[in-house]
Amino acid sequence: MTPTPTALLAMGPGIADRLLTPVQRARLTALVDTDPALVAHRLTGPTPEVARALAGAELLITCWGAPPLTADVLAAAPRLRAVVHAAGSVKHHITPACWERGLQVTSAAGANALPVAEYTLAAILLAGKNVLPAAHRYRELRVPHDWRAELAGHGNYRRCVGIVGASRIGRRVIELLRPFDLDVLLFDPYVDAGAAARLGAEKVGLDELCARSRIVSVHAPELPATRHLIGAAQLAAMADGATLINTSRGSLIDGDALLPELVSGRLNAVLDVTEPEVPSAGSPLYDLPNVLLTPHVAGSLGDEIHRLADFALEEVARYAQGLPFADPVTPQDLARMA
C-alpha cells in the first residue's frame, strides 16, 4: 500500500481561506496528510510549526503569494518532491533550484485561462457594437437620437478579430469565437498556417493583423522578446475606431505610444492590465470615455477560484496514486509561458 504523502500549503495571507471550500478542505485531508489550517506565508525564517511541516513535506500546494522556493528553502525540505500550484504562472516561486532538485511541478494555468477567455469574449462582442463609446455618448445626450445611423459602421457580422498569441487563453478565445460570424486572425511565431487553420484562424504577421483587425486582443506571455510587442507602428496600423484589448500583461503594449491614440479618441481600449500594474492617480486612462480600465480581474476571482482548487485537488489525487501530473510544467515550458 502506497504511504499517504505529507503536504504543506504555502501561499499569501488569506488566500487559502478563499481558495478552499469546506468540502474541498475535507477532500484535501482525505488525500494527503496535512493540516489545512497551517499555511506557510514565508519559508525563509519560518515559524517552528511551519519549519517542522516543511521538513516533512513531500508535496507543496501553492497559490498566489507563494514564497520563493530558493536553494535554502529546499535544503530545509529534504523530502520535497512536487509542487501543485493552484493558480497560473509559477515563475514567481519556482526557482532554478527546483529544477536542479528534479521537483515535479504542475499549474492550474489551464483552469485560470477559462475566466480570462470569457472576459475577453465579452469584451470583443461589446467592442464590436461600439458599446463603450456609445454608452458614454448616450449619457451625454440624454435625448432621442438616431443610434442606428451613428453606429452604422459597427456590429459583429464578418468583423475581423485579431488574436495575438496562441497561448492557452488565446486558443480558448478562438474556440469561444467559433459560434459567431467573425473572421479570426492569429499571430504567433510558434504556430504554422495549418495549425492556425485547425484552431479556426488565419495565420498572419503582426503588422497585417493590426491593419486588418477591427479588434485586437493580446494573449502572448510576458517575456523579454514580447516587451512592447504592440508598439507605435502596430498601433498606427490599426484602423480608426478599432479596439485594443489586453488581458495578458501590461508590458506587452507600449503605453507611451498607446496613450496619445486613446486621448485623441482614434482608438478604443479594454485594459485589464497596464504598466505599471496600477496607473498613477492622475492617469487619463481612468476618465477617457473610450477606455474600459479594470483592475486585473479577468482571471479567477470569487467562486471561480474554487475551479483552481478543484484542479489542484485532482493533481494531488494523481500524485497520491503514483500517477504523473495531468498538466505538468517543465523548464522548457517557461520560455513560452507567462
Side-chain angles (χ1 to χ4, degrees), residues 25 67 92 112 115 121 147 159 180 189 240 250 252 269-270 276 296 326 329:
R25 285 177 182 273
H92 303 293
N112 193 50
L121 173 65
W147 292 106
R159 284 287 176 177
F180 303 97
D240 292 356
L252 273 69
V270 177
H296 204 164
V329 177

Side-chain angles (χ1 to χ4, degrees), residues 114-128 156 172-180 182 215 217 219 245 247:
L114 302 180
V116 182
E118 292 164 357
Y119 174 109
T120 303
L121 173 65
I124 288 171
L125 296 177
L126 290 175
N156 285 315
R172 178 62 174 165
V173 171
I174 294 171
E175 181 181 353
L176 292 177
L177 289 173
R178 285 177 187 164
F180 303 97
L182 296 167
I215 300 164
S217 191
H219 303 288
I245 300 171
T247 57

Side-chain angles (χ1 to χ4, degrees), residues 73-155:
V73 169
L74 295 182
R79 298 188 61 219
L80 188 64
R81 297 291 177 267
V83 179
V84 173
H85 189 51
S89 177
V90 301
K91 290 184 177 180
H92 303 293
H93 65 297
I94 298 298
T95 67
C98 296
W99 306 121
E100 293 168 9
R101 166 75 74 87
L103 294 186
Q104 299 177 57
V105 179
T106 182
S107 161
N112 193 50
L114 302 180
V116 182
E118 292 164 357
Y119 174 109
T120 303
L121 173 65
I124 288 171
L125 296 177
L126 290 175
K129 295 181 77 73
N130 206 41
V131 164
L132 182 62
H136 281 275
R137 180 121 160 86
Y138 193 23
R139 184 181 305 158
E140 291 174 351
L141 292 177
R142 306 188 184 205
V143 295
H145 183 68
D146 189 351
W147 292 106
R148 293 184 184 278
E150 180 159 327
L151 299 174
H154 301 278

Side-chain angles (χ1 to χ4, degrees), residues 2-7 24-34 59 61 309-310 312-321:
T2 304
T4 302
T6 302
Q24 289 171 327
R25 285 177 182 273
R27 186 180 181 206
L28 176 63
T29 55
L31 290 170
V32 292
D33 180 8
T34 189
L59 180 68
I61 301 168
D310 279 337
L313 287 169
E314 288 299 318
E315 292 289 60
V316 169
R318 293 181 68 85
Y319 182 85
Q321 296 170 48

Side-chain angles (χ1 to χ4, degrees), residues 187-248:
F187 167 74
D188 190 307
Y190 299 103
V191 175
D192 62 28
R198 289 190 291 274
L199 289 172
E202 176 189 350
K203 177 181 171 65
V204 295
L206 181 58
D207 290 349
E208 181 181 351
L209 180 146
C210 291
R212 290 175 56 187
S213 300
R214 190 68 181 185
I215 300 164
V216 174
S217 191
V218 181
H219 303 288
E222 183 178 44
L223 303 168
T226 60
R227 178 170 179 78
H228 293 180
L229 181 66
I230 306 296
Q234 290 72 38
L235 294 168
M238 293 175 65
D240 292 356
T243 298
L244 177 65
I245 300 171
N246 190 10
T247 57
S248 181

Side-chain angles (χ1 to χ4, degrees), residues 258-267 288 290:
L258 176 62
L259 190 58
E261 298 279 19
L262 299 177
V263 171
S264 72
R266 195 183 78 79
L267 297 179
L288 288 172
N290 53 325

